[in-house]
Amino acid sequence: MINLTFHSPEEEIHYPPITDYGIQLFIKRDDLIHPFISGNKWRKLKHHLFKAENESKTHLVTFGGAFSNHILATAAAGAKFGFKTTAFVRGEEVQNPTLTFCKIFGMQLIFVDRTAYRHKQALYQSHFRENQEAYFIDEGGFGPEAELGCREIIQELQQSYNHIFCAAGTGATGAGIINEIHQQKLKTQFHLVPVLKGGNFLKDDIKPLLISDFPFHLHEDYHFGGYAKTTPQLIDFIKDFSSKTGVLVDPIYTGKVLFAIKDLASKNTFAKGSKILMIHTGGIFGTLGMLDKF
Ligand SMILES: *Cc1c(COP(=O)(O)O)cnc(C)c1O
């Protein structure tokens, strides 16, 4: 039985550089769902796991970069729920904590060069065409299954918020949140913070996952140089925030979102008394890949 029932708590956070602007800050602690199947990754995998089980598939095959939180979550979920796991990893063979934990959870890693990596279906076919047990999960778990699982973030909320913020890689998590906010006719404004440079492409990417062309805010200026790039300013902010709140955020995703909230608050973007919720999508292993920056 595939289940990880956990309604992540919404915690109010007192952090003067944000809350001194007369707003209330809350964090939905999806990072507490599971140490490895963390944050949005459990929500994105859940319906894939149900489908794989229904189709009697026993082997999850997926794709990711060498620091992918998604492949680590797939490895841990596979081990927990009895699936074999394989990941195609972009680039030449390297060692890092994420990949080591993947191996401990029994995942097979196949390193492929960047050109081959672009053709995911072809890669899958070349290794698994004859394999009746294999189940394909796209990079980052992107797709309608992921979107559906992420609607539960909103379904679980215990109170209403004026603004909700979330990081975006592929945008599937954001799509689920947007759909559910509009299904429930909430007045909440939704803000997506792309962690990649030129995040405008997300608008087109997530369109197929949206029930309708619902409005949301896209903040493209908080990528800090691009995916997995960082600056001393961001690192200092993360240290200050974590040391004053006890909540860890990572330099790849959640640190950038919180920084965006702080920056927008300092520009008086939010009405006094606004309640702001940040979705903590997990990803603490991102910090392990960047220890030298701290
Ligand atoms: C994967 C990941 C995201 C991105 O989720 P998408 O659905 O791809 O936008 C955000 N935050 C963290 C911590 C992640 O690991």
Side-chain angles (χ1 to χ4, degrees):
M1 188 56 207
I2 293 165
N3 203 0
L4 242 189
T5 306
F6 187 94
H7 284 217
S8 71
E10 290 145 61
E11 285 178 2
E12 182 164 9
I13 303 289
H14 296 282
Y15 179 62
I18 294 177
T19 46
D20 275 359
Y21 289 96
I23 56 186
Q24 276 179 289
L25 175 67
F26 297 80
I27 299 187
K28 183 157 172 64
R29 300 292 307 273
D30 273 14
D31 56 317
L32 300 179
I33 290 177
H34 186 278
F36 297 94
I37 318 171
S38 174
N40 58 350
K41 298 304 184 277
W42 160 245
R43 301 185 187 277
K44 293 175 76 176
L45 276 172
K46 179 174 167 177
H47 290 282
H48 278 302
L49 299 178
F50 291 159
K51 239 172 109 179
E53 190 182 45
N54 281 338
E55 295 172 9
S56 302
K57 307 289 191 189
T58 56
H59 189 163
L60 308 174
V61 180
T62 195
F63 304 82
F67 288 99
S68 164
N69 295 319
H70 164 71
I71 64 170
L72 176 54
T74 306
K80 183 171 174 67
F81 298 117
F83 295 93
K84 277 194 264 181
T85 53
T86 296
F88 290 96
V89 184
R90 184 181 56 231
E92 60 196 43
E93 182 154 2
V94 289
Q95 285 207 350
N96 68 41
T98 300
L99 296 176
T100 300
F101 279 110
C102 285
K103 286 190 240 172
I104 292 173
F105 285 122
M107 183 175 245
Q108 177 197 17
L109 302 176
I110 304 175
F111 293 87
V112 292
D113 66 52
R114 279 156 202 276
T115 317
Y117 184 84
R118 261 181 235 129
H119 307 287
K120 299 190 178 60
Q121 276 295 347
L123 268 180
Y124 182 78
Q125 292 301 331
S126 70
H127 286 74
F128 293 99
R129 191 194 338 252
E130 313 273 280
N131 188 332
Q132 297 301 312
E133 312 206 316
Y135 180 89
F136 176 96
I137 302 177
D138 211 340
E139 178 174 37
F142 187 79
E145 294 82 5
E147 179 275 311
L148 193 62
C150 291
R151 292 186 198 187
E152 292 181 7
I153 295 171
I154 301 301
Q155 289 162 7
E156 286 174 12
L157 294 183
Q158 303 292 310
Q159 52 175 315
S160 60
Y161 297 94
N162 302 98
H163 301 273
I164 296 181
F165 278 78
C166 184
T170 68
T173 304
I177 294 173
I178 293 168
N179 283 335
E180 190 62 24
I181 285 177
H182 290 277
Q183 297 265 73
Q184 292 193 17
K185 302 190 165 50
L186 303 180
K187 299 231 159 45
T188 309
Q189 295 187 42
F190 181 61
H191 303 256
L192 205 50
V193 181
V195 301
L196 295 92
K197 202 187 271 185
N200 204 266
F201 70 87
L202 279 170
K203 282 190 184 151
D204 288 333
D205 278 14
I206 69 172
K207 213 168 258 168
L209 298 183
L210 293 180
I211 297 169
S212 178
D213 197 7
F214 300 125
F216 64 95
H217 303 274
L218 192 64
H219 299 281
E220 291 172 46
D221 298 331
Y222 299 103
H223 56 73
F224 292 86
Y227 183 71
K229 298 278 196 307
T230 183
T231 66
Q233 185 192 26
L234 180 63
I235 299 294
D236 287 346
F237 169 70
I238 288 172
K239 286 199 246 181
D240 190 62
F241 180 80
S242 294
S243 66
K244 289 179 178 146
T245 62
V247 179
L248 283 175
V249 289
D250 76 283
I252 301 182
Y253 292 101
T254 50
K256 293 180 180 179
V257 178
L258 257 184
F259 189 97
I261 296 173
K262 184 196 78 142
D263 192 54
L264 292 166
S266 75
K267 293 170 178 161
N268 291 312
T269 313
F270 311 113
K272 290 267 176 290
S274 293
K275 280 161 85 173
I276 297 179
L277 178 72
M278 181 192 118
I279 311 300
H280 196 315
T281 43
I284 281 314
F285 279 81
T287 303
L288 286 185
M290 292 197 174
L291 290 179
D292 55 329
K293 301 280 195 294
F294 290 82

